[in-house]
Amino acid sequence: MNTEKLFEILSDMHQTMEQEKDFLTELDNAIADGDHGINMAKGLAAVQEKIEGLKGQRIGAVLKSVGMTLVSAVGGSAGPLYGTAFMKAGMLMSDKQTMDINDFLACMDAAVEGVMARGRSTEGEKTMLDAMIPALNAMKKANSENLPPKAVLEAGVAAAKCGVEYTKTIAATKGRASYIGERSIGHQDPGATSFTYLLDVVANAI
Amino acid sequence: MVGIVIVSHSEKLASGVLDATKIMADGCPVAIAGGADDGGYGTSYEKIRNAIESVYSKSGVIVLVDMGSAVMTAEMVIEDMGYGNVLLVDCPIAEGAIAASVASFCGDGLEEVKNQALSAKTEAKW
């Protein structure tokens, strides 16, 4: 993946979030403050404006800038969380012109670590991590079996989808949804869902 | 005086807390970062950064936050600004801000102002 490809992926991410905005907001309305879809679409729209000025930059600089834009533009928890994820990836890729599957997995590792630290959270708390961590583990496993990059990403998407299903079975203990606690059981987590969409965009683009 | 910053998802809530601090400590440097950039419900990195900057002095600043993205965004701003004397305090914003602004106005240092804000978390109301 080079910077051009990354721009394409970011544009697809924006389109996907625009399409899924209402659904994500509906999910968020059920258990929290109902801004997730709107915020994700707003953040990725701001990224689209920003990347106009980033043509020709290294991949790490672009990722970092995407992260900073999300932090500034989103206004909800997705801002600092996805922002941290992209910034951590950007720091790791700072001297790279292109990104291969091993780089991508290293970025995901850094992103998961960043999200855990920023949100002071871990697996099983009904958050985006419930999709991110299983996806990362499945991708690492598929990669170690020497599957091609697209198959590795598809394995990640499948695991993330299972993670989203899993969030329906557990109570939220982090974030605003923790106020409704046990009553959140039965609802899928919006953050885990949006992460799955974003990973799916990457898988489709590779 | 130690500066105090109130971060809330709601602009009205933040400005209400600011008003409440003025009753007992008018003159204490208190700034607010209320709502998202567009004025709607949410958190703004920019507003938090500007609020901290506006009350910053060598005495330091404490930052009180309501929840969720306010906590995480304030944390990122504080890390990015790199001052050693800007502290995030985990306490109720209204009671914490009143306790802290009185302490700051009376000349207490950063640690004591922080502790006064923290006391709002555990002090029984009756």
Side-chain angles (χ1 to χ4, degrees):
Chain A
M1 184 198 298
N2 56 20
T3 324
E4 283 307 305
K5 190 77 191 172
L6 177 60
F7 288 150
E8 245 178 75
I9 289 172
L10 289 167
S11 163
D12 291 349
M13 284 179 169
H14 175 221
Q15 272 174 27
T16 302
M17 283 303 137
E18 285 292 344
Q19 278 158 24
E20 302 297 342
K21 181 163 74 176
D22 293 342
F23 177 59
L24 287 171
T25 293
E26 195 183 306
L27 291 178
D28 199 30
N29 246 331
I31 58 169
D33 55 355
D35 62 0
H36 190 59
I38 298 161
N39 282 345
M40 289 301 291
K42 188 165 78 178
L44 286 160
V47 166
Q48 284 307 298
E49 280 174 34
K50 187 84 186 177
I51 57 178
E52 285 304 311
L54 295 173
K55 300 261 151 81
Q57 294 246 26
R58 281 168 190 260
I59 209 157
V62 175
L63 288 167
K64 231 161 85 189
S65 180
V66 168
M68 282 157 70
T69 306
L70 290 175
V71 174
S72 303
V74 169
S77 293
L81 292 172
Y82 278 113
T84 297
F86 276 95
M87 279 192 262
K88 293 281 176 189
M91 280 177 226
L92 209 59
M93 294 292 108
S94 55
D95 54 356
K96 299 256 182 180
Q97 295 284 12
T98 61
M99 191 194 250
D100 63 18
I101 190 71
N102 292 315
D103 293 328
F104 181 77
L105 293 181
C107 283
M108 277 293 303
D109 240 331
V112 165
E113 206 179 294
V115 168
M116 288 175 80
R118 181 64 63 205
R120 296 186 178 83
S121 184
T122 182
E123 225 177 331
E125 297 193 296
K126 203 180 183 95
T127 71
M128 61 200 285
L129 288 169
D130 292 317
M132 287 179 91
I133 295 173
L136 175 59
N137 291 337
M139 289 191 286
K140 279 181 178 167
K141 182 167 174 287
N143 195 44
S144 71
E145 289 161 0
N146 291 319
L147 293 174
K150 194 173 184 72
V152 170
L153 286 158
E154 280 166 352
V157 173
K161 283 181 178 163
C162 290
V164 171
E165 288 305 308
Y166 166 66
T167 63
K168 290 182 187 170
T169 68
I170 55 173
T173 55
K174 273 283 164 348
R176 198 178 291 264
S178 65
Y179 287 99
I180 71 159
E182 295 286 319
R183 283 164 292 186
S184 66
I185 294 174
H187 298 280
Q188 75 189 63
D189 181 63
T193 309
S194 65
F195 170 78
T196 305
Y197 290 149
L198 297 184
L199 190 63
D200 193 44
V201 167
V202 182
N204 285 327
I206 298 303
Chain B
M1 276 181 276
V2 174
I4 296 162
V5 170
I6 315 294
V7 184
S8 170
H9 279 65
S10 154
E11 210 284 321
K12 280 187 182 167
L13 183 53
S15 56
V17 173
L18 172 64
D19 285 347
T21 64
K22 286 185 181 156
I23 297 167
M24 287 180 75
D26 198 6
C28 173
V30 183
I32 61 171
D37 278 330
D38 59 8
Y41 191 78
T43 312
S44 157
Y45 182 97
E46 231 18 71
K47 283 186 183 175
I48 298 172
R49 195 174 178 118
N50 293 339
I52 293 174
E53 211 60 83
S54 75
V55 294
Y56 183 79
S57 73
K58 64 178 188 334
S59 307
V61 175
I62 62 164
V63 181
L64 314 188
V65 289
D66 59 6
M67 60 178 77
S69 62
V71 181
M72 292 187 283
T73 311
E75 217 167 40
M76 293 186 94
V77 172
I78 292 169
E79 285 168 18
D80 291 349
M81 289 177 99
Y83 294 130
N85 55 357
V86 177
L87 309 176
L88 195 62
V89 184
D90 177 5
C91 69
I93 57 172
E95 293 87 339
I98 292 168
S101 60
V102 170
S104 168
F105 193 61
C106 295
D108 285 338
L110 184 61
E111 269 309 300
E112 185 51 29
V113 171
K114 179 187 121 182
N115 289 336
Q116 285 302 316
L118 272 176
S119 73
K121 192 176 179 175
T122 48
E123 208 148 285
K125 291 188 185 181
W126 68 85

